[in-house]
Amino acid sequence: MLAGTGLAVVFAVLIVREARPEWARHQRSFFEQRRVAAERALQAAEEALRRPDAAKRMRDLEARVGAAEAALAAPDAPGGYAQAAREAQQTERELSRVQDRLQRTRADYQRVERDFLLAATESERQRLRARLDELSAGVQALARDRDRLAAGHDAMRRDLRALTAERDAARQALAEFQQPLARAHAEVAAVRRQRPEVQQVLLDTLARVDRCPTCHVAAATPGFDQGAEPLRTHVGYYVRNHPVERFGCTVCHGGQGRATRLPAAHGRVLHWRERLLDRDLVGGLCAVCHRGDRIPGEPYAAAGRRLFVEAGCSGCHDVGGVTAPRIGPSLATIGKKVTPAWIAFWLRDPQVYLPRTRMPSFLLSDQEIADLSAFLLSLSTSPPTTAPSGGRDEARRSARASQADAVKRGETLYKESRCVTCHAVNDRGGTIGPDLGRVASKLRDGWLAEFLHDPARLSAGTKMPRYRFTDAEIADLAAYIGSELRDFDEASWPAPPQTAGRAAEGRVLVRKYGCFGCHEIPEFQRTGRVGAELTGYADKEVDRLDFGLRRDVPRTWRAWTDTKLRDPRGFRDGLKMPDHRFSEHDRFSLLTYLASLREEKPPAEYLREVNGGPRYEPEGRFGELAAELNCLVCHSIRGRGGTLAPDLTREGSRVRPEWLRRFLDRPNTIRLFLEERMPRFRLTPEEIGVIAGYIETVLVDAAVPGRVFAPGEITAALIERGRSLYFDTYGCNACHQIGMQGGAIGPDLTATRERLREGWVYAWLRNSRSLDATVREPVYELPDEEARAITAFLLSVTQSEAYRVSRD
Amino acid sequence: MRRRKLSLAGALVLGAVTLAAWFWYAHDLRVPSSSSLPHAEVTGATGSPAASPAASTAAPLLSREAEEGRLLFERYCVYCHGISGDGFGINAPNLLVEVPNFTDPDFMPRRTEGDLVDAITRGGRGRFGLPIMPEWRLRLSDREIDALVLYIRTLASRKPTGDQPD
C-alpha cells in the first residue's frame, strides 16, 4: 500500500507538471498584463466620465434624449408624431391589402388567359375575351392605387424620420460619448474570457506548422514593445508586410515550429538542422525569397550577395542557381602585357600594389611566385614586342622626336577623353577600370598602343570602349602615360625571387589554386572550380565543419564561418583559400548572405525580384556601336546596364535631336559637381547619326507629349509665375543652376531650351517617377498649372537672361 | 514480510525509473552546450551584429535599419549634409541657410523622432515655407524615412572624419 501511495504521488507530480506547461504560464502572464491594462483603461474611462465637465455633458445629453422621447411619445405631441405614426401604419396596412388584391387579380388574369388560348369555340373565346378585358382594367386600376398609396406611404415615412431626427441624433450623440467606456468594458470582458491554448499557424504551401505564437502571444499586439521575451511586440514593418498567416515564423527565424517547449522550439536539439538564427543574422533569410540586388529592409544580405560575386568568391565556390562571370582580366596574352618585375610584385600581395584591388592574397612562397610567373609569362603566342608594328612605328618615331610636345598633347587628350570617369589615378577617380597611377611601370612597351587601338581584341569582354583615336593620338597618349603615370619609386619594388621559375610547376599551381575561376586562361577554359560547393551551406551541420586544430573557436556554424572568413588557412595546414582581408562590414555581409543558402527552395509565389523576361539587347548597327563603345557599362536602357550615367530608356523623348548630335560629338558638362563625364569618343558623323537615330526612334515614350504650348501661349505673366514657383515656392535653385547661380547637384538648367523637349520638362514636373524612378531628385507631383508655368519659365531662359535671374 | 519489502523496493525502483525516464526524454536531447557565443544584445531595433570571438577594433557595425539608413543617406543627403553629417556637403556653400551639424552633441538630443521624421517628410516648404530642404514624402516610404532617422541619430556618436565602414 505504501508502494502504491508512493507511485501515486510520483505520477501525480508528473501529471500536474504536464498540465501546467511553460507556454501556459506565458499566456497567463500575457492575459494578466492585458487584463491590468484593460482594467486601467476602464478605470480611466470611468474617471473621465466622472469629471465635472464630462458629467455635466453626460447629463445634458441624457436630458436631450429624454426630452426628445417625451416629445414624441405624447399623444397630442406637437407635429403630431403619434398621429402621423398611426396614419403611416394604417397606410401600410392598406398598401399591403392592395398589393394582395393586385397579385390575385393578376393570377386570375393569367388563368383566364390560358383558358382563352385553349378555348375550342368562338363563343367561348368571346366570353373569355370580355372577361380578360375586365380583369385587365381591374389590374390597371389596382396598380394605380398601389402606386398612389406607396408614394403616400413614402412621404409619410419621410415626415416621420424628420420628426424623429432629433431623437435619433440625441441617442447617437449619447452613444458616441459613452463609446470609450463601452469599449473598455468589452475589452475587459474579452480578456477575462481568454484561456490558455496552443496557437498554431498552418502553412500548406510551405509544409510547415508554426506554434511559435503559443509562447510569443504578444507578437501581433501593439503596446508590448518594451516587454520581456517572449511577450514582446514584433519589431518594425516586417510583420506588416509578411503576415503570420501566410509566412509563419520559422521561414524567417528558423527553429522547430511544431515544438511548444524550449529548447526544442528554438531548434537547439540534436539533429534539427534549422536552428533559431541570431537576431542579427535573421536578415540573411530575407535573401532566400528576395532575389534582387536590393532587399528592402535588409542591406547586409544584399551587399553580401553582391560581394559574393564581386569579391571573387564565386570564382572558386559554386552555388546552385548563381552563374557568375569571371571577374578578373583575361590572362591569355599576359606574357606580352606585363613586365616580370610587376608580376612578381603583384603575386606577392596584390593589395600592397593596389589597395582597392579585388584579388586576394594567396600567401605564396618565393618559389611559388617564381613558378607562377614563369608559367604566366609563357602565356602568349607571340613573343613580347618591344615596338608596335605597322604605321604606329612611324608615329612613334616622329613623336619621339618631340617628346615633350607629345606628352603635352597626350595629357590634353587624356583629359578630354575623361579617362578619370572609369580609371582612378592614385585612388582619385572611378573604379570601373583599374587604377592607372603606376600603369606604365606595369606594362611592356607597345602593349598600351595596341590596346588603345582595339581593346576588345587584346582583352575579350573588356569594359573599355574603343575610342576612335588616330595612330598619332595613340602615340601621344602612350607618351603621356609612359612618362607621367609610372611609379617613380620603382627601385623600391620588392626584388623578384632569385630562383629560376619552372613553367610546368606553375601550371600545377594554377590548377591547385584555381586561378581560372576568375581569369580566363587557355587550357583551363572548362576546368571546374576548385573550392567547396556552397549550395545549401546554411544547412550544414556543425559536425561536418572541420575545426581542425583550433580549440578556441566555439562549435557553431556562425563561429566557424566567421573564423574562416577572417583567417582562411587558420584551421589546419594545407588549406588554400586566399586571404581577402575583408572589412568587418564586408565580412558580416557575406556571413548574412551565406546564412541564406538553404537547400529548401521556396515556392514560386513567394519569390521576389527574380529577373524574368528577356534581357534588352541593342539591335542592328546601333547594337554594334553600343558593344564597341560599351555604352551599357555606364548607362542603363530598359533595365539593363550600369548606374553611373543617366538611364536612356526614354532619351529620345527627353532631349532635342540637334543637341543630342552635338553632345555625342563633343560632350559638355551638365552636372557640375561630378568628376565623371561622358568621354569624347571622336565618333564619325555616320556613327553619330546611327546612335542619334536609334535613340530618337526607338528609345521614346509615347506618353510624353510633344508640344505643351500653342504659339503665343507663353506670356510674360506665365513666365513670371514660373520664375516665382521655381525660386520662391519650390526652391529648385537649391540643387539646379541657372547661369552662375544655384546648387550643384542637379543638372544645369540654363540650356533647357536647347537641350530638353518641352513635353519632357512638363511631364517630368507632373510625375517624374513614371519617367525615371532611379534618380535622386525628390518627387514633385505638381498640378498642371504649376508645371506649365515652370516649363514656360525654363524655356524662356536665355544666356543673357541667365545672368539676370540670379537671386540673393 | 519479505514479500512486502520486495514489493516496496520494486515500487520505489519503478518510481525512480519512471522519473528518470521522464526527465531524460521529456526535456529532449540537448545540443552540447557549446553555443556559448553571446547572442546579439539588442542595441537597436534588431540588434547590432554580435561581437566576434576575436576582439574587433573597427567601428561597431550598424543595425539593419541603421545600415539601410546609411545607404539612403549617402545616396540622397550627403551632397548638402556632408558625408559625416557635419553640414559641409559639396552643395552646402550654394545654399542660403546654414546646414545643421548632426555630429554636434547638442543638436541631436534636442530633437524628437517626430521632429526628424517631420523634417524629412515635409521639408522646409511644408514646415516654414522655405523650400531649401526638399520634401521627401513622395520619394521615400515611411519605412525608409524611419531608417534614415535611426541612422542620423548615430551620427552624433560617430567620429566626424573617422573611417566609415567600407
Side-chain angles (χ1 to χ4, degrees):
Chain A
M1 207 187 66
L2 203 57
T5 322
L7 269 178
V9 165
V10 162
F11 280 112
V13 164
L14 294 179
I15 288 170
V16 165
R17 259 202 87 128
E18 283 303 307
R20 299 182 65 88
E22 196 171 327
W23 58 260
R25 193 161 49 79
H26 290 306
Q27 286 196 6
R28 284 205 192 89
S29 163
F30 175 64
F31 299 151
E32 184 60 29
Q33 289 183 44
R34 278 191 67 193
R35 188 182 63 79
V36 164
E39 285 182 350
R40 209 176 295 142
L42 178 61
Q43 251 185 340
E46 286 174 346
E47 277 293 322
L49 283 181
R50 272 201 288 273
R51 276 204 325 265
D53 53 334
K56 179 168 179 324
R57 177 144 172 75
M58 172 87 141
R59 278 198 300 274
D60 287 343
L61 284 172
E62 282 176 342
R64 185 177 160 203
V65 170
E69 281 178 347
L72 289 176
D76 50 349
Y81 175 76
Q83 175 74 355
R86 269 199 302 273
E87 277 176 11
Q89 230 181 1
Q90 264 173 348
T91 317
E92 198 169 327
R93 258 185 250 130
E94 189 153 345
L95 180 62
S96 72
R97 258 182 307 202
V98 168
Q99 286 270 56
D100 224 17
R101 276 175 58 196
L102 179 61
Q103 269 175 332
R104 262 184 278 130
T105 316
R106 276 211 182 111
D108 285 342
Y109 182 90
Q110 279 173 342
R111 203 169 19 89
V112 172
E113 194 181 37
R114 186 177 49 105
D115 290 342
F116 174 77
L117 291 170
L118 296 174
T121 62
E122 184 59 37
S123 61
E124 180 85 16
R125 264 200 292 275
Q126 270 183 335
R127 185 179 62 83
L128 288 174
R129 190 179 300 128
R131 180 90 181 104
L132 277 179
D133 290 337
E134 222 180 285
L135 283 173
S136 157
V139 162
Q140 279 172 356
L142 281 172
R144 273 196 302 271
D145 277 344
R146 199 260 330 255
D147 290 338
R148 184 180 46 84
L149 280 173
H153 184 243
D154 282 341
M156 275 187 221
R157 291 202 24 186
R158 270 198 303 273
D159 292 338
L160 276 178
R161 264 204 297 277
L163 287 175
T164 61
E166 168 58 19
R167 182 198 63 185
D168 292 339
R171 279 186 182 160
Q172 173 84 339
L174 184 63
E176 266 171 17
F177 186 75
Q178 290 177 320
Q179 202 188 42
L181 186 63
R183 257 209 308 261
H185 273 297
E187 174 80 6
V188 170
V191 176
R192 283 218 176 108
R193 270 200 302 271
Q194 279 184 306
R195 293 280 172 272
E197 62 178 357
V198 172
Q199 310 283 335
Q200 73 177 19
V201 180
L202 268 173
L203 301 161
D204 285 327
T205 38
L206 299 173
R208 284 167 189 257
V209 179
D210 283 347
R211 298 193 174 126
C212 320
T214 307
C215 281
H216 293 271
V217 268
T221 310
F224 282 83
D225 305 277
Q226 304 302 322
E229 290 283 14
L231 299 175
R232 201 179 158 124
T233 312
H234 197 288
V235 298
Y237 293 77
Y238 306 100
V239 171
R240 214 178 299 180
N241 296 331
H242 306 83
V244 173
E245 306 80 48
R246 196 160 168 246
F247 290 85
C249 314
T250 56
V251 285
C252 297
H253 286 274
Q256 187 177 172
R258 287 162 209 253
T260 52
R261 256 204 300 242
L262 288 180
H266 288 190
R268 299 213 170 91
V269 292
L270 268 184
H271 303 312
W272 186 262
R273 284 203 285 190
E274 212 177 79
R275 255 187 313 282
L276 191 77
L277 285 178
D278 294 337
R279 198 163 291 180
D280 51 346
L281 278 190
V282 168
L285 292 182
C286 304
V288 174
C289 291
H290 286 265
R291 299 293 172 93
D293 294 325
R294 265 200 71 232
I295 302 176
E298 175 46 47
Y300 289 114
R305 168 178 281 146
R306 189 182 42 86
L307 261 176
F308 191 81
V309 172
E310 285 182 14
C313 310
S314 56
C316 292
H317 297 281
D318 269 328
V319 172
V322 173
T323 48
R326 295 190 161 108
I327 60 160
S330 162
L331 300 181
T333 55
I334 190 128
K336 357 189 230 186
K337 178 176 174 183
V338 297
T339 60
W342 182 88
I343 273 228
F345 189 172
W346 179 259
L347 286 175
R348 189 173 296 280
D349 193 336
Q351 288 173 358
V352 169
Y353 180 81
L354 190 61
R356 278 215 225 161
T357 184
R358 293 178 292 185
M359 172 149 163
S361 165
F362 280 81
L363 307 169
L364 301 169
S365 69
D366 272 358
Q367 184 61 50
E368 287 178 316
I369 292 177
D371 292 336
L372 266 175
S373 303
F375 173 70
L376 290 173
L377 289 171
S378 74
L379 281 184
S380 138
T381 48
S382 50
T385 52
T386 49
S389 55
R392 293 195 280 284
D393 230 352
E394 291 294 329
R396 276 199 104 229
R397 272 199 282 271
S398 62
R400 230 179 267 139
S402 51
Q403 185 71 354
D405 282 345
V407 168
K408 252 211 285 289
R409 278 197 305 271
E411 186 174 357
T412 313
L413 200 54
Y414 185 91
K415 294 204 166 105
E416 249 192 13
S417 309
R418 319 275 198 222
C419 309
V420 70
T421 300
C422 295
H423 293 281
V425 170
N426 296 328
D427 265 353
R428 199 169 152 216
T431 52
I432 297 181
D435 189 308
L436 295 181
R438 299 183 280 174
V439 69
S441 307
K442 164 180 169 180
L443 299 174
R444 288 183 191 253
D445 285 344
W447 189 90
L448 183 60
E450 229 183 297
F451 182 75
L452 288 173
H453 186 71
D454 189 352
R457 198 169 61 81
L458 276 188
S459 180
T462 184
K463 295 194 180 120
M464 167 102 175
R466 186 170 76 77
Y467 286 71
R468 274 83 167 115
F469 292 131
T470 64
D471 293 340
E473 287 171 337
I474 291 182
D476 289 339
L477 267 175
Y480 166 68
I481 292 176
S483 79
E484 293 302 316
L485 299 181
R486 61 172 48 245
D487 190 351
F488 297 103
D489 228 358
E490 208 168 322
S492 72
W493 282 15
Q498 297 307 310
T499 54
R502 301 158 294 176
E505 280 301 315
R507 181 182 283 112
V508 169
L509 284 172
V510 167
R511 193 183 292 279
K512 172 180 172 189
Y513 286 112
C515 313
F516 41 84
C518 292
H519 298 282
E520 183 207 9
I521 303 178
E523 328 169 24
F524 292 102
Q525 297 281 22
R526 300 217 183 292
T527 319
R529 299 191 155 124
V530 299
E533 189 183 337
L534 294 182
T535 316
Y537 177 70
D539 290 338
K540 206 154 184 182
E541 295 195 25
V542 174
D543 37 356
R544 295 179 54 201
L545 293 168
D546 178 12
F547 285 82
L549 307 170
R550 297 282 295 264
R551 290 183 191 283
D552 58 327
V553 178
R555 258 59 178 158
T556 65
W557 179 95
R558 179 185 181 143
W560 191 93
T561 312
D562 191 58
T563 310
K564 181 75 173 174
L565 288 171
R566 209 181 278 276
D567 180 13
R569 298 187 186 176
F571 285 114
R572 62 166 73 249
D573 289 336
L575 298 173
K576 51 186 185 174
M577 172 158 159
D579 189 3
H580 287 81
R581 302 200 188 100
F582 290 120
S583 68
E584 189 168 347
H585 178 278
D586 287 350
R587 197 168 44 242
F588 182 71
S589 303
L590 278 171
L591 186 68
T592 312
Y593 173 66
L594 289 170
S596 79
L597 296 178
R598 279 191 168 169
E599 297 223 25
E600 178 190 345
K601 285 198 186 341
E605 65 260 29
Y606 282 84
L607 293 177
R608 283 284 171 275
E609 293 122 29
V610 182
N611 294 323
R615 210 160 83 119
Y616 165 72
E617 289 290 346
E619 321 104 330
R621 177 93 177 95
F622 173 77
E624 287 170 23
L625 285 171
E628 275 182 16
L629 298 170
N630 268 315
C631 309
L632 291 179
V633 168
C634 298
H635 290 280
S636 56
I637 302 181
R638 293 185 184 164
R640 180 185 161 194
T643 52
L644 189 69
D647 180 76
L648 299 178
T649 308
R650 296 175 174 82
E651 189 73 358
S653 304
R654 188 167 83 108
V655 296
R656 297 184 192 241
E658 318 81 43
W659 178 89
L660 180 61
R661 284 169 168 73
R662 250 182 294 136
F663 187 80
L664 286 169
D665 182 37
R666 276 186 180 279
N668 63 328
T669 298
I670 303 179
R671 281 176 172 77
L672 275 183
F673 83 102
L674 288 177
E675 289 210 354
E676 298 96 337
R677 297 277 189 279
M678 166 111 167
R680 182 166 176 233
F681 293 115
R682 312 176 118 62
L683 302 168
T684 67
E686 181 261 336
E687 290 170 336
I688 292 180
V690 166
I691 296 176
Y694 182 86
I695 289 176
E696 285 155 18
T697 48
V698 178
L699 301 181
V700 290
D701 184 351
V704 175
R707 289 220 142 273
V708 175
F709 299 105
E713 233 185 321
I714 302 186
T715 60
L718 191 62
I719 293 175
E720 193 50 42
R721 168 112 176 99
R723 182 194 313 244
S724 141
L725 286 169
Y726 180 94
F727 285 100
D728 305 322
T729 313
Y730 291 107
C732 310
N733 64 325
C735 297
H736 292 278
Q737 312 95 46
I738 294 187
M740 305 290 276
Q741 299 284 335
I745 306 179
D748 186 326
L749 295 180
T750 317
T752 304
R753 192 159 65 179
E754 285 108 41
R755 183 169 77 100
L756 298 173
R757 290 178 184 253
E758 66 181 57
W760 177 273
V761 179
Y762 171 78
W764 183 265
L765 292 168
R766 293 301 311 271
N767 185 355
S768 66
R769 214 203 306 256
S770 66
L771 295 176
D772 187 352
T774 64
V775 295
R776 289 184 168 87
E777 187 190 18
V779 173
Y780 296 94
E781 287 174 355
L782 299 183
D784 169 72
E785 180 264 329
E786 291 182 351
R788 287 171 65 91
I790 298 182
T791 309
F793 165 65
L794 287 174
L795 291 174
S796 72
V797 171
T798 59
Q799 281 295 84
S800 55
E801 165 94 6
Y803 291 92
R804 205 167 61 74
V805 299
S806 55
R807 295 276 176 117
D808 301 287
Chain B
M1 186 61 183
R2 181 103 185 266
R3 195 164 288 166
R4 273 175 70 198
K5 267 207 190 125
L6 260 178
S7 62
L8 175 66
L12 281 175
V13 166
L14 192 60
V17 165
T18 313
L19 269 176
W22 185 83
F23 276 108
W24 180 266
Y25 284 110
H27 283 194
D28 301 323
L29 302 168
R30 285 178 198 265
V31 171
S33 60
S34 57
S35 19
S36 52
L37 189 69
H39 292 304
E41 256 319 306
V42 177
T43 58
T46 52
S48 302
S52 48
S56 159
T57 53
L61 287 181
L62 299 168
S63 72
R64 191 177 305 136
E65 281 85 2
E67 172 73 8
E68 174 144 10
R70 179 180 77 89
L71 294 173
L72 289 167
F73 189 82
E74 290 179 1
R75 182 178 161 77
Y76 293 107
C77 316
V78 291
Y79 306 107
C80 294
H81 287 281
I83 235 215
S84 61
D86 58 5
F88 290 109
I90 48 172
N91 198 39
N94 295 323
L95 301 175
L96 296 176
V97 296
E98 194 179 321
V99 180
N101 180 0
F102 295 154
T103 61
D104 179 0
D106 291 329
F107 176 84
M108 237 355 121
R110 285 204 245 123
R111 272 143 182 89
T112 67
E113 304 294 340
D115 285 340
L116 294 174
V117 171
D118 197 40
I120 300 175
T121 312
R122 292 206 289 154
R125 185 173 92 92
R127 298 198 306 152
F128 15 77
L130 191 65
I132 297 183
M133 163 87 183
E135 50 191 304
W136 294 96
R137 61 189 169 82
L138 293 175
R139 166 65 70 198
L140 299 175
S141 68
D142 286 342
R143 188 184 53 77
E144 289 173 320
I145 294 182
D146 285 349
L148 260 177
V149 168
L150 264 177
Y151 174 68
I152 292 169
R153 286 259 183 235
T154 71
L155 288 173
S157 55
R158 290 177 157 248
K159 305 250 177 314
T161 54
D163 293 322
Q164 304 295 326
D166 178 16

